[in-house]
Amino acid sequence: MFQVNDNFQKLPGSYLFSTIAKKVNAFSSANPDKKIIRLGIGDVTQPLAPAIIEALHKAVDEMGNAETFHGYAPDLGYDFLRNAIVKNDYQDRGCDIQADEIFVSDGAKSDSADIQELFAADTKIAVCDPVYPVYVDANVMAGRTGTYNPDTQMWSNVIYMPCTKENNFVPEFPKETPDVIYLCLPNNPTGTTITKSQLQEWVDYANKVGALIIYDGAYEAYISEDDVAHSIYECEGARTCAIELKSFSKNAGFTGVRLGYTVVPKDLKRGEASLNAMWARRHGTKFNGAPYIVQRAGEAVYSEAGKAQLKEQVAYYMKNASTIKQGLQDAGYTVFGGVNAPYIWLKTPENMNSWEFFDYLLENANVVGTPGSGFGPSGEGYFRLTAFGTYENTVAALDRIKSL
């Protein structure tokens, strides 16, 4: 008789955004006349940039001719995209990264979940709290998080690094030494980040204790402050302690197109084991490569026209962020984020917990956000709003919230 992976049974409830979708669908069914404004999930709303559309059309035409048709993509990515990534995202910023250290995928979410396969079953992970829930959930499924305490909403074998108002939402070195550290900067959900010098301290710490940093840089394109690093490889020593995850979803609107990449430097080793070689082996076994058409679209992101057009899109979303932040502050809310990331992190009013405020906002303003507790125990009492809506809906949602 077959047996199931009991670790899946340990996961509390459903995935955060699945729970939100069910609640919103139930409300919509009961109130079909209500127009809901969704500022919950971080999904983009602006159409793909013209340079990307042009590249897609050209690639589709190529697929219609025998001479230019492409079948299976190289499992690690086409050279034209890997070389474009290396030049624009790394070498132009003074980072020592080579094309054979770039692994193209269908998005950072899957990579952030799958990267844990490289590590031993008894690996001790450390996560910022609050943070993107996939990091912890993937390790739960792998059986390395211990037991779950529903009262504290914490796992016994996970090291939590609270990011709260008291420490400016900046993680502090844990008292217990971790094996793997997940850092998402700029942070999802708080929208806050750290300076390059602070990041250097994390690199130095990881090298000192022999830990590995999984660095999620999905929101790098939204960084506006000069002293914030766009890549962890801007820090000295990062090649020996860090893997970086990057996404085309937020910087280029590829949430429905699907493209990302992971950087695994060849210097990353434990004994004779090369993490670069291990990830290449895993990639080749479990992944058939991102589609040719999509990778050509990714290449267009780095064209001069693509860069200019995407800069305008980022500015559009950050205008939304600024509008939300200022409007909520004017209405008396305590607000964070919205400077280096397209997320607003606000304190829930009237001592409401996160899900109470979710229900209150949905029922009375017909606006959807994300309860902070869904990102970890330190997120309780906070709420995330995304700036990825249209400007018109953003203004309308803000007016509704202000009128409460």
Side-chain angles (χ1 to χ4, degrees), residues 48-57 252-254 296-298 300-301 306 309-310:
L48 294 173
I52 295 170
I53 292 296
E54 182 180 350
L56 284 169
H57 280 299
F254 277 36
R296 280 298 185 191
V301 167
Q309 291 161 10
L310 294 178

Side-chain angles (χ1 to χ4, degrees), residues 126-303:
V127 296
C128 295
D129 173 32
V131 82
Y132 188 46
V134 170
Y135 310 148
V136 173
D137 286 0
N139 280 281
V140 173
M141 295 173 185
R144 62 169 62 93
T145 56
T147 57
Y148 181 72
N149 184 329
D151 294 328
T152 62
Q153 299 181 45
M154 300 172 79
W155 294 90
S156 61
N157 288 348
V158 173
I159 300 171
Y160 292 88
M161 302 181 292
C163 299
T164 64
K165 181 181 178 182
E166 288 67 34
N167 62 11
N168 296 315
F169 301 99
V170 172
E172 299 171 358
F173 299 135
K175 294 181 175 64
E176 182 181 358
T177 302
D179 299 309
V180 174
I181 304 164
Y182 287 83
L183 293 179
C184 177
L185 298 166
N187 181 263
N188 174 17
T190 67
T192 55
T193 193
I194 62 178
T195 65
K196 182 177 178 179
S197 62
Q198 288 174 311
L199 184 58
Q200 181 67 61
E201 292 176 1
W202 277 98
V203 170
D204 294 342
Y205 169 81
N207 278 318
K208 179 181 177 181
V209 302
L212 177 76
I213 296 173
I214 307 298
Y215 190 80
D216 187 344
Y219 299 94
E220 167 272 322
Y222 293 85
I223 293 172
S224 63
E225 296 179 317
D226 293 335
D227 63 345
V228 177
H230 289 258
S231 166
I232 196 169
Y233 301 114
E234 293 178 39
C235 296
E236 184 178 352
R239 284 184 56 86
T240 58
C241 71
I243 290 174
E244 185 163 272
L245 311 174
K246 286 288 185 72
S247 169
F248 286 76
S249 289
K250 313 304 183 181
N251 68 323
F254 277 36
T255 53
V257 177
R258 307 310 306 149
L259 189 65
Y261 65 88
T262 293
V263 185
V264 187
K266 293 191 289 291
D267 294 355
L268 268 178
K269 296 181 179 181
R270 275 299 173 266
E272 296 300 315
S274 163
L275 269 66
N276 179 281
M278 290 172 65
W279 189 242
R281 184 68 172 84
R282 189 259 175 213
H283 220 56
T285 299
K286 294 192 173 185
F287 186 59
N288 264 337
Y292 171 76
I293 294 169
V294 174
Q295 293 197 48
R296 280 298 185 191
E299 181 188 31
V301 167
Y302 299 104
S303 67

Side-chain angles (χ1 to χ4, degrees), residues 78-105:
Y78 282 102
D79 286 342
F80 62 78
L81 178 56
R82 296 169 90 190
N83 289 331
I85 290 169
V86 165
K87 180 184 184 303
N88 291 275
D89 288 349
Y90 295 101
Q91 292 179 353
D92 285 357
R93 293 192 175 118
C95 301
D96 180 21
I97 296 296
Q98 305 303 315
D100 59 358
E101 297 172 320
I102 303 290
F103 297 82
V104 177
S105 71

Side-chain angles (χ1 to χ4, degrees), residues 3 55 83 171 205 297 310 350 358 385:
Q3 301 295 321
N83 289 331
Y205 169 81
L310 294 178
E350 307 297 332
F358 174 90
L385 292 175

Side-chain angles (χ1 to χ4, degrees), residues 15-27 38 358 368:
Y15 182 56
L16 171 62
F17 294 103
S18 299
T19 302
I20 290 173
K22 291 176 182 176
K23 279 179 157 286
V24 173
N25 289 339
F27 180 83
R38 300 171 188 265
F358 174 90
V368 177

